[in-house]
DNA sequence: CATGAATGAGGGTTCATTCAT
DNA sequence: AATGAATGAACCCTCATTCAT
């Protein structure tokens, strides 16, 4: 009995906590870390300001936590798409697609990671570095495997992965700035996949 | 009578103005727009706070001005390097080299443009969009010409240019995060040039 | 649940708001709008500076509000005294008495309206004009009625009312500058009433 | 020789000093003491800010000095008009006329004294009191003489003079707020004169 | 748990005043 | 004498954070 009630309470609490975090992501993504106020967040979540400090120690901690969580979500989603395929062509293509999907349907995720809180919170600098590092490694892995398999010639896979990460980010941000980005998604995926394959001197069959 | 805006006085004032702007670039690049305070800037420039407002109308105006000026400097420097060559291979190679030079010897420029004031000042959003647009067009021009000349196959040059801009930015930021980046500059230039040429299916002689 | 805007809480908040407004009236009356600082006000009210901005949007808005409220209070109090009588002699006498009462027992009211914020806040200019206008009309009404009733000869009632308003203000300010003004109040009332009646060529029985 | 040159220098200096003081009166009258900045004044006078501090010790001292000087000018002008006549009727009429002339042709004088710096500068409070005192005495003198001469019945001439001072001020300020006040000046003078004569129970021939 | 009144450090900005030229 | 660059105290206001209810 006490179990169940506790569970319910926990769930309720978690629900409210989650709601506030979603509100925070929205506000941080829209305004950036500094311009976003705690009052903005609690207003968006429709709770009192005191409630914020019951659930989170302070604004900065929440932001860093959100950044990490969002980064995890993005990286894992792409990673999963990449891992689910064996062939380099499809690994790239599906990975890019996964990234684009998130960008289009959860733009706040991309805003938060790429725009929201850069160069602002000291304790975030390391997190950002880690995120970029993981993102680079994410693209590097299929490349290394492809080199091992002889599918592409030997090359500085690390640098190429960096270039990929930057290229994908920019193209996606440009896409998001356009009206109705979802209509152009398919073309972008194809463009980026072919771009990538050419850039690494892939000689097999294009998609 | 001689005291009236003599050349010496004018020069001195200009010098101080420039010094303060450099201090401001430093601080903005390091902390970002919001975290940088006017007090930080005047401390860096070793003047009183009133002096800031003698030279500049307010923090935001100065920041936007600095952003534009810095963007102009970066873009013109790269543009000049690109224009000074006729062949696509060299246009890319010299353009990248110019970019890298700035990044290594004037890191604050890159910090300011790529990191410093993103997602912060409303009046900057448009400036940032313009900067990215110009950067993309900068890389797009040689591509279009190469397509016209039949040096590379027809392709979505705009999208490729976006990818180039993003790729170069990321590689450069990664380079700046390393110790002694200038030692690796030559390798990076070559890597990026080859990467670019492959990505656009260039078939001529590599550098 | 009971904590939500309970009567007690509301009352307490209103009480504090009122207390702060009284403090503000005091300070504004004493120093005038510009010389009065928000810190002066919160010190007088014994609260923190943030509390001021919790209750009021800004210094200027509060001042204008206070000015209007105070003007309303003064005008309505006098108006009521005037309206409560039918005979011109008593209308004047009771109106003047009401004015004097406020001046003596709420000197800040008079200070604020006559001294506090003149020639200062642009958004107040119109309010001040309105206040003077209403004050003039206040005295003009019984005059017009008396002319209609044939109690006094026809004359430029508007100009006379202006003169009354100015005369009463000055005499009252002079009275307030003296020690123990309440002792002289009765004499002042009589003097001013007779002064007024003579000035409008009233021929009936003096009070 | 040295004499003359010295005189010239003196005159020149005085000329500049005078120009600055006139500029200051203008600005103070228009904006009030606090809102008027030293920069406003020197801009109006077309000199550098340092020049201000060569001629005057500081803003407050200048203001107080200007206030006194302006008060002297106003009081002496009216006084002279009053003294130049023997009969009460004409003393009042010419005094009022003199006041009105100043108000219409030198509105800054009236603005400065009646509106510009009230309730602002501590060191001005005493000056203002003195000015009002002198103004009251100015009107009181002819009254006392008329009482002595048996032209009007005995009465509290002090209080009546206060009422006069206040009444004239208000009517004049109301006049200045209208378009083309000079056209109404004659009527105002007559109205105020008759108002005054009636108020003091004058029985002789009206003007 | 939740609330929101209360706090005060700190930010951007103004402006009277000084002083080297 | 005259200039105007330079100064910094002080202003208004914001906002992260606390705590009594």
């Amino acid at each position: 009995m006490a179990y169940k009630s506790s569970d319910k309470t926990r769930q309720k609490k978690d629900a409210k906590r989650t709601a506030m975090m979603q509100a925070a992501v929205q506000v941080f993504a829209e305004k950036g870390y500094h311009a976003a106020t705690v009052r903005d967040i609690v207003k968006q979540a429709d709770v009192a300001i005191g409630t914020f400090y019951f659930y989170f120690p302070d604004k900065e901690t929440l932001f860093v936590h959100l950044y990490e969580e969002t980064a995890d979500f993005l990286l894992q989603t792409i990673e999963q798409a990449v891992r689910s395929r064996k062939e380099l062509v499809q690994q790239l293509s599906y990975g890019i697609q996964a990234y684009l999907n998130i960008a289009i349907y959860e733009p706040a995720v991309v805003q938060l990671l790429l725009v929201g809180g850069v160069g602002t919170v000291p304790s975030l600098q390391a997190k950002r570095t880690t995120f970029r590092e993981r993102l680079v490694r994410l693209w590097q892995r299929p490349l290394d495997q492809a080199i091992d398999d002889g599918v592409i010639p030997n090359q500085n896979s690390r640098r190429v992965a960096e270039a990929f990460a930057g290229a994908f980010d920019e193209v996606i941000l440009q896409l998001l700035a356009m009206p109705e980005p979802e209509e152009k998604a398919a073309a972008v995926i194809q463009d980026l996949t072919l771009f990538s394959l050419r850039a690494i001197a892939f000689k097999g069959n294009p998609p």
Side-chain angles (χ1 to χ4, degrees), chain A:
Chain A
M1 200 88 156
Y3 236 10
K4 214 169 181 178
S5 144
S6 169
D7 265 17
K8 250 188 193 163
T9 304
R10 172 71 59 99
Q11 273 178 18
K12 233 177 162 179
K13 181 175 168 182
D14 281 4
K16 189 163 253 180
R17 183 193 191 79
T18 304
M20 293 185 63
M21 290 175 72
Q22 282 172 352
V25 168
Q26 295 251 355
V27 176
F28 281 135
E30 188 182 345
K31 304 193 167 187
Y33 175 77
H34 266 107
T37 71
V38 175
R39 271 179 176 80
D40 288 336
I41 295 169
V42 299
K43 182 180 279 184
Q44 172 89 7
D46 203 35
V47 296
I49 199 162
T51 308
F52 179 93
Y53 287 91
F54 176 76
Y55 284 101
F56 312 108
D58 55 41
K59 183 187 167 188
E60 181 169 344
T61 304
L62 171 62
F63 183 73
V64 171
H65 176 70
L66 246 29
Y67 186 91
E68 282 191 291
E69 202 175 79
T70 304
D72 282 347
F73 166 69
L74 182 79
L75 291 166
Q76 282 168 18
T77 304
I78 302 176
E79 180 84 41
Q80 199 175 331
V82 171
R83 276 192 204 269
S84 70
R85 305 290 150 170
K86 284 271 162 55
E87 314 254 328
L88 177 62
V89 171
Q90 308 225 322
Q91 285 173 329
L92 283 175
S93 151
Y94 277 78
I96 291 165
Q97 185 181 29
Y99 198 171
L100 254 165
N101 268 334
I102 294 174
I104 289 172
Y105 298 108
E106 301 279 1
V109 165
V110 172
Q111 289 288 329
L112 188 73
L113 292 173
L114 303 189
V115 185
V118 184
T120 48
V121 197
S123 64
L124 189 72
Q125 292 285 38
K127 304 290 176 189
R128 190 191 130 81
T129 304
T130 303
F131 166 60
R132 297 311 298 182
E133 186 64 28
R134 289 173 67 193
L135 187 62
V136 168
R137 294 235 176 108
L138 169 59
W139 297 118
Q140 190 179 357
R141 262 188 302 271
L143 296 182
D144 280 339
Q145 197 197 331
I147 292 172
D148 271 4
D149 296 348
V151 176
I152 57 173
N154 193 21
Q155 54 195 287
N156 188 337
S157 64
R158 162 77 197 200
R159 197 102 72 205
V160 169
E162 290 171 9
F164 278 8
F168 299 164
D169 283 356
E170 180 69 26
V171 171
I172 281 175
L173 284 177
Q174 293 273 354
L175 179 67
L176 284 183
M178 307 178 87
E180 319 211 21
E182 65 279 9
E183 294 181 1
K184 288 160 198 131
V188 168
I189 294 170
Q190 194 178 2
D191 281 356
L192 282 182
T193 306
L194 290 175
F195 175 94
S196 311
L197 290 173
R198 287 195 305 261
I200 55 180
F202 173 77
K203 298 298 180 193
N205 290 327

